[in-house]
Amino acid sequence: MKKVLLIGAQGMDNLGDDYMYSKIATYLKENNCTVYASNTKTDFYFEDLCKKNDVIQIPILQYKNKVDLICRIVKEYMKNIFDAVIFIGGGYTNDYFGFHWLMQLLLITLAYRKSKIIFTGQTVGPVFSKKSERVLKTLYKQADFISVRDSESHELLSSWGIDNKLIGDDAFLDTEFKLKIRNKNVGNQKRVVIVPKSFPGYEKYM
């Protein structure tokens, strides 16, 4: 069986992130993959999802300091050589999450560079500092495949010379949901989904 590590903002009291994680984990399990999940903390809903999907949790991102983080990555790497590392969708590669968070993600991609590195449904930015920009460029250049969910992220990565596909949000990986929409007669109505961001400076991404 293929071994796949999922990394993202799941387990952080955000139902949307947990939902996207659940759809990807379910798909992988149905295709004979052993699924591992790394998270910063675990809420009750995420714990339940892991049990239902028979997902193995590993505490790579639960660390005390930089040395502890590196030791955890090395320890998990020695135990588990993954076939693929998937950074699931979301908007967590930006300066609002902090420079140290971006460095954590970069360390993981470098540690697992022998695995296939995949980013899905990403929102990239806002990026305000040159050092964060350098880290993000290095981070995404490790990827074998990148999909983004908005045109601004597509244009930003393209301006950095990084190949990416504008596909959409991971939530729409739910095929049953897509079928319900496709089979529903909505006439001439136009439906708009608005996802407000609480971060200042996000207006240009709306």
Side-chain angles (χ1 to χ4, degrees), residues 52-90:
K52 287 181 178 178
N53 291 304
D54 194 26
V55 170
I56 303 167
Q57 294 188 58
I58 56 176
I60 289 179
L61 293 176
Q62 297 175 5
Y63 66 96
K64 298 175 182 178
N65 50 52
K66 292 179 183 177
V67 174
D68 185 36
L69 171 63
I70 294 171
C71 289
R72 284 180 182 273
I73 292 174
V74 171
K75 179 181 177 181
E76 293 301 332
Y77 180 76
M78 296 302 291
K79 289 196 306 183
N80 302 298
I81 306 299
F82 298 105
D83 294 284
V85 177
I86 301 176
F87 292 81
I88 68 171

Side-chain angles (χ1 to χ4, degrees), residues 117-137:
I117 304 293
I118 299 169
F119 289 86
T120 64
Q122 296 286 299
T123 289
V124 186
V127 183
F128 303 121
S129 68
K130 287 294 183 182
K131 66 178 183 179
S132 294
E133 182 178 319
R134 287 193 294 270
V135 169
L136 284 176
K137 285 180 179 178

Side-chain angles (χ1 to χ4, degrees), residues 130-148:
K130 287 294 183 182
K131 66 178 183 179
S132 294
E133 182 178 319
R134 287 193 294 270
V135 169
L136 284 176
K137 285 180 179 178
T138 307
L139 172 70
Y140 283 112
K141 284 180 179 178
Q142 310 308 310
D144 294 282
F145 176 81
I146 303 170
S147 73
V148 297

Side-chain angles (χ1 to χ4, degrees), residues 8-15 17-18 39-43 46 97 101:
Q10 71 272 14
M12 298 178 70
D13 303 312
N14 186 314
L15 186 61
D17 288 314
D18 288 349
N39 53 291
T40 52
K41 64 176 185 176
T42 303
D43 57 34
F46 182 68
F97 274 68
W101 167 256

Side-chain angles (χ1 to χ4, degrees), residues 168-206:
D169 198 285
D170 282 356
F172 295 104
L173 294 172
D174 187 344
T175 54
E176 292 182 5
F177 176 72
K178 287 194 291 187
L179 285 172
K180 288 177 184 177
I181 293 177
R182 189 178 299 124
N183 294 329
K184 186 175 180 62
N185 182 15
V186 295
N188 295 321
Q189 297 180 50
K190 292 184 178 179
R191 296 189 171 198
V192 178
V193 178
I194 299 175
V195 184
K197 298 289 186 180
S198 59
F199 298 130
Y202 255 87
E203 291 80 4
K204 65 179 182 179
Y205 291 86
M206 298 295 286

Side-chain angles (χ1 to χ4, degrees), residues 90-118:
Y92 51 81
T93 55
N94 56 58
D95 269 325
Y96 290 119
F97 274 68
F99 181 73
H100 293 303
W101 167 256
L102 300 180
M103 283 299 298
Q104 293 167 40
L105 300 181
L106 177 59
L107 282 172
I108 292 171
T109 59
L110 294 175
Y112 293 114
R113 62 187 180 277
K114 292 184 179 179
S115 307
K116 283 191 177 298
I117 304 293
I118 299 169

